[in-house]
Amino acid sequence: MTMTTAQEIDSAIAALRLGEIEWSRTPLRGRRQLLEEIHAATAEFAREWVETAAGIKGLAADSPLLGEEWVSGPYSLLTGAAALAESLAALEDGASPVDGYRIHEAPGNRTAVDVFPASGFDRLLLNGFSAQVWSKPGVDAATVRARAGLGQRTPERTGGIAVVLGAGNIFSIAPLDVLYQLYADNRVVVLKLNPITDPLLPVFEKIFAPAIARGFVRIVTGGADIGTALVHHPDVESVHMTGSALTHDAIVFGAGEDGARRKAARKPVLNKPITSELGGVSPTIVVPGRWSRADLRFQAEHLATQRLHNNGYNCVAAQVAVVSADWPQKQQFLDELRAAMNRAPARKAYYPGSAQRVAAARAEYPDAQKLGAHGERTLITGLAPTKSEPALHTEYFAPVLGVIEIPGTAAEFLAEAVRVCNDEFEGTLGANIIAHPRTMKSLGADFDTAVATLRYGTVAINAWTGLGYLTARASWGAFPGHSVHDVQSGIGVVHNALLIADPERTVVRGPFRPSPRSVLHGEFTLSPKPPWFVTNRTGATTLRRLTDFAKKPSVAALPGIFASALRG
C-alpha cells in the first residue's frame, strides 16, 4: 500500500474545499440519505471489515474473541449511522432529536435524557441495561430540547475542513469520528488512518464511497509526517484526535524538549481548535456487601473483562480496582479475580509497545503477579491511593491491573473511593462502580451523591463504561473542563447521536447478576452473561448475529441471538 504524498494531501484538501460548498447546499433529507447509504455499505462490507481486523489483531477465525471485532467494528458504525439518521429525520419534521425520549431531573440540578433503551428491540436484546446523558448543572429540559441538533440546526453554516487522526485500537472509532465531524460540527473531513489500521483502507473507502464521491470525505494513510502536514495545512480549520495525552501534546506543542518548553510557557505551535479522546487510568470501585459465591465469580469476570477486553488496549480499560480493606469477602473476590484473569483466552499482543509497557510495570512493581497461560498478564496489589503511585498516573495500555485497598464499610468507603478517583487518578474518561442492589438501596441518597460527584465522562454502575461507547445515542468523551494545557482525557465528545449540546456525562446501569439468577433474587432482568465478557464462550456468534440484526432489525432474528447468548 502506497503512503499519501504531500501532493496528494493538497489534492485532498482542494477536493474538500469544493465538497464543503456542496455540503452546505445539501438539505437535511440529503444528509439523512447519505447516512442511509453509509449504513447500507457498512452492512455489505461488515464481514470483510471483521476478517481484516482479525488479521491485524492475530485472532483466529474460530476465536470467541472475534465478537469484539463485530461489536466494536461494524455494529458500532451501523447503530451510529442509524441513530443519526433518526435525529436528522426529527429535524426534517421540525422537531428536536430528543423529542420522544424521557427527560427528567438528575442529581445536582442537572437534566437527564434516557437514551437507552430507545426501542422495544433494545429492551429485549439488552434487558436490564440503561443509559442516560446528563447535562451540566443548571441546564433545564427546555434548553436541552431547544439546542439538540448542533450543526444540523443550521446546515448551511458549515465549519470548514476538519482533520481526524484515527485510532489504532478500536476500529469503529475513526469512522464514527468522521460522522461526528460531518453532522455535529458540520465540517467536511480528511481522515488519516493510524498505520495499524492501514489494511482497513479499502473497507473504509467502500463504506464512505458516497461521501467520498461528493467531496465530503477523504481518507489518507501515512506516518507522523503526514499527520503533521495535515494538521498544519493552512486550509484546515480544526483537528480531532484519539490517542494518548503524550501524542496530543506533541501535536499541540511539538515533540521533545522544545515541545516541553513550549507547553510550560503555554505557547502551542498548533493555533487552531483541537478536540480529543485520550484515555487515562480508569478505576473500578467495588463497594463492599454480602455477595454469594456466584456473585463473586461473575463480578470477578466482569472486572477481568474491563481490563482484558481487546487485551487492555482500550482508552477506557479499567486499570485499578478500588476495594475495601475491611470487606470480609475481599480475599475471596481477589482470588476469583486472579482465576478469571488466568482463564481468559490467550491472545496476541498486537499493539506496538505493549511488551515494553508490561515490562515497565513489572520493573516498577517487582512483586506483581504474572497471570495467564503464558504469564502475559499482570496483577499489582498493595497500591497506595496517592498521586505519587505510578499505576495511578501511568496509562499502561496493556493487560496490567492494579488493586488499591481503602478502609471502611460501604458508606465511608464509597465516599473516600470517589474522592481518591477524582483527586489522585490521571484522566476522566470513565469510571465503574460494582455494588450489590441491597447495598445500593441501603446507601440511598449517598449512592446517588457518589455517582453525581464522580468527575468522569462516563460512569457505569454494574456495567462497564465500554457499553457507553457502544450506545450510539450516549455521549462519549472526557469530563468537561480540560484545556490543551492540561488535557487529561481530552476535550469534547463524540458519538452523541441525539446531538445533545454540551453534555456532561453518560450514566450507564446494568444488572448485578445475569439471568436466571437475577430473576431468582428479585432483579427482574433477563440478560444472561454479557456476550462481550472475555470468558463468554459464544461471544463471537452472539455479537455477529447482533451485527446482522443491526443491518436490518427484525423479530425473526431474535431467537437466534437469544439462543447463542444463553449458551454463552
Side-chain angles (χ1 to χ4, degrees):
M1 182 181 297
T2 59
M3 296 295 104
T4 303
T5 66
Q7 184 177 359
E8 288 168 332
I9 288 175
D10 287 338
S11 176
I13 297 296
L16 289 168
R17 282 201 301 268
L18 295 175
E20 184 185 4
I21 298 170
E22 175 69 11
W23 186 237
S24 71
R25 295 171 177 169
T26 304
L28 291 174
R29 181 181 179 184
R31 293 167 180 236
R32 175 175 53 81
Q33 289 173 339
L34 177 64
L35 285 165
E36 292 166 352
E37 291 172 20
I38 289 171
H39 185 279
T42 304
E44 181 179 356
F45 299 107
R47 180 168 293 278
E48 182 182 349
W49 180 338
V50 172
E51 290 173 351
T52 305
I56 294 170
K57 296 188 178 182
L59 295 173
D62 60 351
S63 171
L65 297 173
L66 207 60
E68 295 179 2
E69 299 314 309
W70 283 104
V71 75
S72 68
Y75 171 85
S76 294
L77 187 56
L78 286 165
T79 55
L84 272 173
E86 289 183 10
S87 292
L88 269 288
L91 291 166
E92 284 179 70
D93 291 340
S96 169
V98 300
D99 286 349
Y101 293 84
R102 181 172 176 255
I103 303 176
H104 54 96
E105 292 183 2
N109 193 28
R110 297 172 172 91
T111 297
V113 182
D114 290 357
V115 300
F116 188 92
S119 68
F121 285 138
D122 289 344
R123 291 179 182 88
L124 288 170
L125 291 168
L126 283 172
N127 188 262
F129 289 88
S130 65
Q132 300 172 340
V133 173
W134 288 13
S135 73
K136 295 175 183 176
V139 179
D140 62 17
T143 302
V144 169
R145 188 174 288 107
R147 297 185 64 199
L150 297 176
Q152 298 312 297
R153 298 187 66 82
T154 53
E156 70 284 356
R157 299 180 193 166
T158 52
I161 298 171
V163 167
V164 169
L165 301 177
N169 58 334
I170 295 293
F171 297 158
S172 61
I173 291 177
L176 287 169
D177 289 350
V178 168
L179 290 187
Y180 202 70
Q181 289 295 319
L182 271 171
Y183 287 90
D185 294 323
N186 209 22
R187 296 171 177 137
V188 293
V189 187
V190 55
L191 164 64
K192 193 200 84 69
L193 296 179
N194 184 297
I196 294 172
T197 66
D198 281 355
L200 281 163
L201 175 63
V203 178
F204 290 161
E205 287 182 328
K206 293 171 191 173
I207 287 172
F208 281 101
I212 292 170
R214 298 175 66 182
F216 304 154
V217 172
R218 285 291 183 271
I219 307 176
V220 302
T221 60
D225 57 331
I226 297 300
T228 299
L230 281 169
V231 301
H232 291 289
H233 195 285
D235 289 340
V236 166
E237 275 80 11
S238 66
V239 178
H240 178 80
M241 65 157 293
T242 303
S244 70
L246 289 175
T247 301
H248 170 274
D249 288 351
I251 292 168
V252 174
F253 298 102
E257 293 182 2
D258 287 344
R261 282 193 291 268
R262 280 190 288 267
K263 183 179 178 182
R266 303 174 75 86
K267 293 181 177 179
V269 295
L270 183 70
N271 293 307
K272 57 186 71 173
I274 179 169
T275 53
S276 51
E277 191 263 82
L278 304 177
V281 177
S282 292
T284 294
I285 300 171
V286 183
V287 184
R290 291 182 61 187
W291 296 8
S292 70
R293 178 177 292 182
D295 295 337
L296 291 164
R297 181 184 175 96
F298 176 77
Q299 292 299 347
E301 291 185 1
H302 191 182
L303 178 53
T305 293
Q306 293 174 10
R307 177 70 264 184
L308 298 179
H309 183 280
N310 197 30
N311 209 38
Y313 311 136
N314 290 333
C315 291
V316 79
Q319 183 165 301
V320 176
V322 185
V323 303
S324 170
D326 299 322
W327 184 24
Q329 294 179 295
K330 176 195 68 179
Q331 195 55 53
Q332 289 176 271
F333 178 74
L334 294 179
D335 289 345
E336 289 285 2
L337 177 61
R338 292 183 184 92
M341 293 181 71
N342 271 323
R343 67 176 174 267
R347 62 186 304 161
K348 179 182 177 181
Y350 74 89
Y351 202 87
S354 177
Q356 292 89 333
R357 291 189 295 276
V358 171
R362 290 177 177 176
E364 188 70 50
Y365 299 101
D367 294 332
Q369 291 180 274
K370 296 180 181 179
L371 301 173
H374 308 290
E376 68 275 21
R377 296 159 190 157
T378 302
L379 181 67
I380 306 165
T381 55
L383 298 177
T386 64
K387 276 192 175 73
S388 60
E389 188 69 76
L392 272 63
H393 62 78
T394 303
E395 183 185 9
Y396 289 123
F397 215 65
V400 177
L401 178 65
V403 178
I404 284 176
E405 295 185 22
I406 293 175
T409 54
E412 56 266 34
F413 163 81
L414 181 57
E416 178 61 8
V418 168
R419 186 202 66 78
V420 168
C421 293
N422 281 342
D423 297 344
E424 311 296 342
F425 279 58
E426 186 79 15
T428 66
L429 185 60
N432 312 281
I433 304 175
I434 297 173
H436 195 288
R438 188 168 52 240
T439 304
M440 289 192 286
K441 184 177 181 180
S442 69
L443 288 168
D446 287 344
F447 188 84
D448 295 335
T449 297
V451 174
T453 303
L454 279 165
R455 296 193 296 270
Y456 286 84
T458 298
V459 177
I461 303 155
N462 291 334
W464 176 35
T465 47
L467 186 59
Y469 176 92
L470 295 176
T471 302
R473 295 170 181 85
S475 60
W476 182 254
F479 194 80
H482 304 313
S483 71
V484 294
H485 305 290
D486 181 21
V487 74
Q488 294 281 321
S489 289
I491 300 167
V493 300
V494 289
H495 303 188
N496 186 29
L498 294 179
L499 301 174
I500 296 169
D502 299 321
E504 182 189 66
R505 73 180 80 191
T506 286
V507 178
V508 178
R509 296 176 187 266
F512 181 71
R513 306 176 181 91
S515 179
R517 285 198 305 112
S518 56
V519 177
L520 295 174
H521 289 83
E523 235 185 331
F524 298 107
T525 62
L526 302 178
S527 290
K529 176 191 285 188
W532 54 84
F533 269 38
V534 292
T535 51
N536 191 304
R537 296 169 296 173
T538 63
T541 301
T542 304
L543 293 171
R544 174 180 56 77
R545 290 178 178 176
L546 189 64
T547 303
D548 288 341
F549 176 86
K551 296 176 185 178
K552 190 175 182 180
S554 72
V555 173
L558 296 179
I561 298 172
F562 293 151
S564 179
L566 289 169
R567 287 195 303 271

